[in-house]
Amino acid sequence: LKSSPGASVAVPIRAPLSGVVQTRDVSLGELIQADAPLLTIVNLDTVALEASLFEADFARVRIGSLVSVTTEAVSGRRFTGRISFLGSQVDPQTRTVTARALINNPGNLRPGMFARGQIQTGRGNMALTVPTSAVLDDGAAKVVFVAMGSKYQ
């Protein structure tokens, strides 16, 4: 672009995607090359969470396992996602394997935040539970009645 001597040229720049400016690599008035990066824009609709899994837990986690996380920055809110990557090597110092989950972000989460989470492994003992108020204690045994149609057993 050319301008008259001593004048500056302001050129609007439009991003090819929507998102949030993560880094700005230029300053106002700086001379730049045509191929120089100006900004880094990130889409925060989904954020990646990296976790270190202990060896003993690693075998129970699968790609696609459900993840639930909380952060102190957004207390009382639970965010969900799924495991998208499982590392192939154990870190010799920590004895952990890296896992990555993609978390749905309604706008509250930011890169670099600390989160606590749980990974649903699908394992565990199945148990039938009833409220203690449903258990009848006749002194000799504890009994629960189950409705079977119009009868109770």
Side-chain angles (χ1 to χ4, degrees), residues 95-137:
R95 307 306 305 162
T96 61
V97 177
T98 300
R100 188 175 304 122
L102 296 178
I103 307 295
N104 300 321
N105 182 18
N108 306 92
L109 301 175
R110 295 288 182 264
M113 282 184 163
F114 179 79
R116 294 184 193 279
Q118 297 174 329
I119 301 172
Q120 192 174 69
T121 61
R123 300 238 173 135
N125 297 331
M126 299 293 288
L128 176 65
T129 61
V130 296
T132 54
S133 59
V135 179
L136 301 174
D137 189 351

Side-chain angles (χ1 to χ4, degrees), residues 43-147:
N43 181 337
L44 296 176
D45 291 343
T46 303
V47 294
L49 172 121
E50 284 200 5
S52 297
L53 303 178
F54 291 112
E55 286 179 274
D57 300 326
F58 178 73
R60 297 191 312 252
V61 178
R62 301 278 183 260
I63 299 286
S65 293
L66 185 65
V67 175
S68 175
V69 298
T70 59
T71 67
E72 289 186 19
V74 188
S75 62
R77 184 83 190 266
R78 190 166 290 280
F79 302 93
T80 60
R82 297 206 175 266
I83 296 289
S84 61
F85 168 81
L86 291 171
S88 59
Q89 187 171 354
V90 175
D91 182 313
Q93 275 84 34
T94 62
R95 307 306 305 162
T96 61
V97 177
T98 300
R100 188 175 304 122
L102 296 178
I103 307 295
N104 300 321
N105 182 18
N108 306 92
L109 301 175
R110 295 288 182 264
M113 282 184 163
F114 179 79
R116 294 184 193 279
Q118 297 174 329
I119 301 172
Q120 192 174 69
T121 61
R123 300 238 173 135
N125 297 331
M126 299 293 288
L128 176 65
T129 61
V130 296
T132 54
S133 59
V135 179
L136 301 174
D137 189 351
D138 67 3
K142 294 183 180 185
V143 180
V144 174
F145 288 96
V146 177

Side-chain angles (χ1 to χ4, degrees), residues 16-36:
L17 56 108
S18 65
V20 177
V21 174
Q22 184 176 28
T23 60
R24 186 176 75 179
D25 300 316
V26 295
S27 299
L28 184 62
E30 183 178 344
L31 182 62
I32 58 168
Q33 298 297 318
D35 61 346

Side-chain angles (χ1 to χ4, degrees), residues 11-18 38-39 41:
V11 178
I13 305 218
R14 300 200 194 305
L17 56 108
S18 65
L38 307 177
L39 306 166
I41 299 173

